[in-house]
Amino acid sequence: MRIDKPLLQVKNLKKYFQTPGGMLHAVDDVSFDLLPGSTLGVVGESGCGKSTMGRAILRLQEPTSGTVLFDGTDVTACSKRELKALREQMQIIFQDPFASIDPRMTVSQTIMEPLIIQHKMDRRDKKGLERKALEIMELVGLAPRLVNSYPHELDGGRRQRIGIGRALVLRPRFIVCDEPVSALDVSIQAQILNLMQDVQKQMGLTYLFITHDLSVVKHFSDEILVMYLGQMVEKCESKRLFAQPMHPYTQALLSAIPVPDPRVRMQKIPLKGELSSPIEPPVGCRFAKRCPYATSACTQKAVLPREIEPGHFVACVRAGEL
Ligand SMILES: Nc1ncnc2c1ncn2[C@@H]1O[C@H](COP(=O)(O)OP(=O)(O)OP(=O)(O)O)[C@@H](O)[C@H]1O
Ligand code: SF4
Ligand SMILES: [Mg+2]
């Protein structure tokens, strides 16, 4: 039997922010492994810490504590120079790739920027850069005539293809995809997801795919990690999560997805009650104020994820019983 070694191992990752109201626990003790060539979908409501976790894994934001091993190398202990080398292998795709870059740069300049910075390619070698940019543009399905276009001249789908191209130009092995299709129309979303799956197969990529939309990750992810107020509350194979969600929060999230077949009736579990604050959160289950099954045992001590069945982690004292 072949046992794959994880490409990414996240152990007890924490990212806290000092705020005027106290310490905000944006990511609080998250651990998981990610196999090479696979996709882990990360879902949860706005503000639950998805983006912060993605950035802390890449050390775009310094983690407060915990370790991130990438192919055995401790990302959290790397020097700046080692980190720069690792960045070639670990990239990120944002919701709007042009939000963080110069709108005066052309498509080719945007795609080539990481290569110029990492490999110190000569900006004056316009022909060489353009040739390379055209290769990447072909990979991500962009017409060569757009090579000198500016972001404002392109629609959202094309802009995201450039964001993907920019992430691929260094030939990475792992990509954090932070809501890459959330800003796009549904028909364009499908095209971009197909493209991402195609390049994943071609290049053997590993994805951490962040979204607040469970229906997007359903078919795209091998596994799904559900976050709630900075913590992992459930993680397992995608099919299993949809067939047999065990955490009451996951159950509520799934029940909110519209079912296309009118003959199928899903019982909607409303998310009632107050959302706890991530600032100085109390011990115990952070979902307790909204959970229909909460008992006094839920708020007495930290509720950590347990492996309820092989590969299925749930942070709920009543997991398996509900
Ligand atoms: N630089 C910062 N300083 C203080 N608090 C921050 C900072 N960045 C994020 N936060 C807080 O950390 C928590 C997690 O934010 P994050 O952006 O990671 O959530 P998210 O799940 O990505 O949300 P969304 O779905 O809206 O993108 C939030 O409470 C947010 O306000
Ligand atoms: S630990 Fe208790 S409050 Fe939290 S999800 Fe489980 S049953 Fe609900
Ligand atoms: Mg986010």
Side-chain angles (χ1 to χ4, degrees), residues 15-19 24-27 44-55 61 95 178-179 210-212 227 229-230 278-279:
K15 176 64 189 175
Y16 294 175
F17 295 105
Q18 185 69 59
T19 69
L24 188 151
H25 295 216
V27 178
E45 286 163 290
S46 181
C48 71
K50 304 180 294 296
S51 299
T52 306
M53 181 173 84
R55 287 197 294 260
Q61 264 171 339
Q95 183 169 335
D178 192 354
E179 308 261 9
I210 296 170
T211 177
H212 60 271
M227 280 184 87
L229 277 177
I279 299 175

Coordinates of all heavy atoms in Angstrom, one line a residue, residues 15-19 24-27 44-55 61 95 178-179 210-212 227 229-230 278-279, ligand 1:
K15 N -2.7 32.7 15.4 CA -2.4 34.0 15.0 C -3.4 34.9 15.8 O -4.6 34.9 15.6 CB -2.7 34.2 13.5 CG -2.4 35.7 13.0 CD -1.0 36.1 13.2 CE -0.9 37.6 13.0 NZ 0.5 38.1 13.3
Y16 N -2.8 35.7 16.7 CA -3.6 36.6 17.5 C -3.2 38.0 17.1 O -2.1 38.3 16.7 CB -3.2 36.4 19.0 CG -3.6 35.1 19.7 CD1 -3.2 34.8 21.0 CD2 -4.3 34.1 19.0 CE1 -3.6 33.6 21.6 CE2 -4.7 32.9 19.6 CZ -4.3 32.7 20.9 OH -4.6 31.5 21.5
F17 N -4.2 38.9 17.3 CA -3.9 40.3 17.0 C -4.2 41.1 18.3 O -5.3 40.9 18.9 CB -4.9 40.9 15.9 CG -4.6 40.3 14.5 CD1 -5.5 39.4 14.0 CD2 -3.5 40.7 13.8 CE1 -5.3 38.8 12.7 CE2 -3.3 40.1 12.5 CZ -4.2 39.2 12.0
Q18 N -3.3 42.0 18.6 CA -3.6 42.9 19.8 C -4.5 44.0 19.3 O -4.3 44.7 18.3 CB -2.2 43.5 20.3 CG -2.4 44.3 21.5 CD -2.7 43.5 22.8 OE1 -1.9 42.6 23.1 NE2 -3.8 43.8 23.4
T19 N -5.7 44.1 20.0 CA -6.7 45.1 19.6 C -7.0 46.0 20.9 O -6.7 45.5 22.0 CB -8.0 44.5 19.1 OG1 -8.7 43.9 20.1 CG2 -7.8 43.5 17.9
L24 N -7.3 39.4 20.0 CA -8.2 38.8 19.1 C -7.6 37.5 18.6 O -6.6 37.5 18.0 CB -8.5 39.8 18.0 CG -9.6 39.4 17.0 CD1 -10.2 40.7 16.4 CD2 -9.2 38.5 15.9
H25 N -8.4 36.4 18.9 CA -7.9 35.1 18.5 C -8.3 34.7 17.1 O -9.4 34.1 16.9 CB -8.4 34.0 19.5 CG -7.8 34.2 20.8 ND1 -7.5 33.1 21.7 CD2 -7.5 35.3 21.6 CE1 -7.1 33.6 22.8 NE2 -7.1 34.9 22.8
A26 N -7.6 35.2 16.0 CA -8.1 35.1 14.6 C -8.0 33.6 14.2 O -8.8 33.1 13.5 CB -7.3 36.0 13.7
V27 N -6.8 33.0 14.6 CA -6.6 31.6 14.3 C -6.1 31.0 15.6 O -5.2 31.5 16.2 CB -5.6 31.4 13.2 CG1 -5.3 29.9 12.9 CG2 -6.0 32.0 11.9
G44 N -16.3 28.6 6.2 CA -16.7 29.2 7.5 C -17.2 30.6 7.2 O -16.9 31.2 6.2
E45 N -17.9 31.2 8.2 CA -18.5 32.5 8.0 C -17.4 33.6 7.9 O -16.3 33.4 8.3 CB -19.4 32.8 9.2 CG -20.7 32.1 9.2 CD -21.4 32.1 10.5 OE1 -20.9 31.5 11.4 OE2 -22.4 32.8 10.7
S46 N -17.9 34.7 7.4 CA -16.9 35.9 7.3 C -16.3 36.2 8.7 O -17.1 36.2 9.7 CB -17.7 37.1 6.8 OG -16.9 38.2 6.7
G47 N -15.0 36.4 8.8 CA -14.4 36.7 10.0 C -13.9 35.5 10.8 O -13.4 35.7 11.9
C48 N -14.1 34.3 10.3 CA -13.8 33.1 11.1 C -12.3 32.8 11.1 O -11.8 31.9 11.8 CB -14.6 31.9 10.8 SG -14.1 31.2 9.2
G49 N -11.5 33.5 10.2 CA -10.1 33.4 10.3 C -9.5 32.6 9.1 O -8.3 32.3 9.1
K50 N -10.3 32.4 8.0 CA -9.8 31.7 6.8 C -8.6 32.4 6.2 O -7.5 31.7 6.0 CB -10.9 31.6 5.8 CG -12.2 30.9 6.3 CD -13.3 30.8 5.3 CE -13.9 32.1 4.7 NZ -14.6 32.9 5.7
S51 N -8.7 33.7 5.9 CA -7.6 34.4 5.2 C -6.4 34.5 6.1 O -5.3 34.3 5.6 CB -8.0 35.8 4.8 OG -9.1 35.7 3.9
T52 N -6.6 34.8 7.4 CA -5.5 34.9 8.3 C -4.8 33.6 8.3 O -3.5 33.6 8.4 CB -6.0 35.3 9.7 OG1 -6.8 36.5 9.5 CG2 -4.9 35.6 10.6
M53 N -5.5 32.5 8.4 CA -4.8 31.2 8.4 C -4.0 31.0 7.1 O -2.8 30.6 7.2 CB -5.8 30.0 8.6 CG -5.1 28.7 8.6 SD -6.3 27.4 9.0 CE -6.9 27.0 7.4
G54 N -4.5 31.3 6.0 CA -3.8 31.1 4.7 C -2.5 32.0 4.7 O -1.5 31.5 4.3
R55 N -2.7 33.2 5.2 CA -1.5 34.1 5.2 C -0.5 33.7 6.2 O 0.7 33.8 6.0 CB -2.0 35.5 5.4 CG -2.7 36.1 4.2 CD -2.8 37.6 4.3 NE -3.6 38.1 5.4 CZ -4.8 38.4 5.3 NH1 -5.4 38.5 4.1 NH2 -5.5 38.8 6.4
Q61 N 1.9 36.8 7.1 CA 1.7 37.3 8.4 C 2.3 36.4 9.4 O 2.2 35.2 9.2 CB 0.2 37.4 8.7 CG -0.4 38.8 8.4 CD -1.9 38.8 8.5 OE1 -2.6 37.8 8.5 NE2 -2.5 40.0 8.7
Q95 N -8.8 37.1 -4.2 CA -10.2 37.3 -4.8 C -10.1 38.2 -6.0 O -10.6 37.9 -7.1 CB -11.1 37.9 -3.7 CG -12.5 38.1 -4.2 CD -13.4 38.4 -3.1 OE1 -13.2 38.1 -1.9 NE2 -14.5 39.1 -3.4
D178 N -7.4 32.2 -2.1 CA -8.3 32.9 -1.1 C -9.5 33.5 -1.8 O -9.4 34.5 -2.4 CB -7.5 34.0 -0.4 CG -8.3 34.5 0.8 OD1 -9.4 34.1 1.0 OD2 -7.7 35.3 1.6
E179 N -10.6 32.7 -1.8 CA -11.9 33.1 -2.4 C -11.6 33.5 -3.9 O -12.1 34.6 -4.4 CB -12.5 34.3 -1.7 CG -12.6 34.2 -0.2 CD -14.0 33.8 0.2 OE1 -14.9 33.5 -0.7 OE2 -14.3 33.8 1.4
I210 N -9.8 28.5 0.0 CA -10.7 29.2 0.9 C -11.9 29.7 0.3 O -11.9 30.3 -0.8 CB -9.9 30.3 1.5 CG1 -8.7 29.8 2.3 CG2 -10.7 31.2 2.4 CD1 -7.7 30.9 2.7
T211 N -13.1 29.5 0.9 CA -14.3 30.0 0.4 C -15.4 30.1 1.5 O -15.3 29.3 2.5 CB -14.9 29.2 -0.8 OG1 -16.1 29.8 -1.2 CG2 -15.1 27.8 -0.5
H212 N -16.3 31.0 1.4 CA -17.4 31.0 2.3 C -18.6 30.2 1.7 O -19.6 30.0 2.4 CB -17.9 32.4 2.7 CG -18.3 33.2 1.5 ND1 -17.5 33.9 0.8 CD2 -19.5 33.3 1.0 CE1 -18.1 34.4 -0.2 NE2 -19.4 34.1 -0.2
M227 N -14.2 26.0 9.7 CA -13.7 26.8 10.7 C -14.9 27.6 11.4 O -15.8 28.0 10.7 CB -12.7 27.9 10.2 CG -11.3 27.3 10.0 SD -10.2 28.6 9.4 CE -9.7 29.3 11.0
L229 N -15.0 30.7 14.4 CA -14.3 31.7 15.3 C -12.8 31.2 15.6 O -12.4 31.0 16.7 CB -15.0 31.8 16.6 CG -16.2 32.8 16.6 CD1 -16.9 32.8 17.9 CD2 -15.7 34.2 16.3
G230 N -12.1 31.1 14.5 CA -10.6 30.8 14.6 C -10.2 29.3 14.8 O -9.1 29.0 14.8
P278 N -14.4 37.1 18.9 CA -13.1 36.4 18.9 C -12.1 37.1 19.8 O -10.9 36.6 20.0 CB -12.6 36.6 17.4 CG -13.4 37.8 16.9 CD -14.6 37.9 17.7
I279 N -12.5 38.2 20.5 CA -11.6 38.9 21.4 C -11.7 38.2 22.8 O -12.8 38.1 23.3 CB -11.9 40.4 21.5 CG1 -11.7 41.0 20.1 CG2 -11.0 41.1 22.5 CD1 -12.1 42.5 20.0
Ligands
LIG1 N1 -4.6 43.0 10.9 C1 -5.6 42.7 11.7 N2 -5.7 43.3 12.9 C2 -6.7 43.0 13.8 N3 -7.6 42.1 13.5 C3 -7.6 41.4 12.3 C4 -6.6 41.7 11.4 N4 -6.8 40.9 10.3 C5 -7.8 40.2 10.6 N5 -8.3 40.5 11.8 C6 -9.5 39.9 12.4 O1 -9.3 38.5 12.5 C7 -10.5 37.8 12.3 C8 -10.3 36.8 11.1 O2 -10.3 37.6 9.9 P1 -10.1 37.0 8.5 O3 -10.0 38.1 7.5 O4 -9.0 36.0 8.5 O5 -11.5 36.2 8.3 P2 -12.1 35.5 7.0 O6 -12.6 34.2 7.5 O7 -11.1 35.5 5.9 O8 -13.3 36.4 6.6 P3 -13.9 36.8 5.2 O9 -14.8 35.6 4.8 O10 -14.8 38.0 5.4 O11 -12.8 37.0 4.2 C9 -11.6 38.8 12.1 O12 -12.2 39.0 13.4 C10 -10.8 40.0 11.7 O13 -11.5 41.2 12.1

